[in-house]
Amino acid sequence: MSDYFPEIVQVVPHKDYTVSVYFSDGKIVLYNVNPLLEKGLFTQLKDIHIFMNSCMILNDTLAWDIAGNRDESRCIDIDPDQLYSLPTVNEQTA
């Protein structure tokens, strides 16, 4: 049994409150944050500027650096297992 789990190598936020998440094995998923925007800490992400500009990889997963100082204890992050379990999407290029 292998302990290998693909790393998240890139996250790209979109103005519709979704995020494209790219894994090291080539899988791409689309994470929809909309259902969370009215819950707890996630309400901070309703500000589109915060959503778009604080989105990054922290704690080896999709996260929003709310404090703006890359403090892993002050971010909102999503379980990478949950992200990887999402269906694969085709990359959409402009």
Side-chain angles (χ1 to χ4, degrees), residues 15-34:
K15 291 182 180 179
D16 65 353
Y17 294 100
T18 61
V19 181
S20 295
V21 181
Y22 296 78
F23 289 88
S24 60
D25 66 353
K27 182 172 183 170
I28 304 168
V29 301
L30 189 65
Y31 185 70
N32 184 359
V33 183
N34 280 291

Side-chain angles (χ1 to χ4, degrees), residues 43-59:
T43 59
Q44 299 171 78
L45 300 179
K46 287 197 297 189
D47 179 329
I48 193 68
H49 177 76
I50 292 172
F51 178 81
M52 296 293 291
N53 294 310
S54 66
C55 183
M56 62 180 55
I57 300 169
L58 275 175
N59 298 333

Side-chain angles (χ1 to χ4, degrees), residues 5 8 23 31 60-62 77-85:
F5 187 84
I8 295 174
F23 289 88
Y31 185 70
D60 297 320
T61 193
L62 167 62
D77 59 5
I78 307 298
D79 181 348
D81 290 331
Q82 178 184 358
L83 294 169
Y84 197 79
S85 71

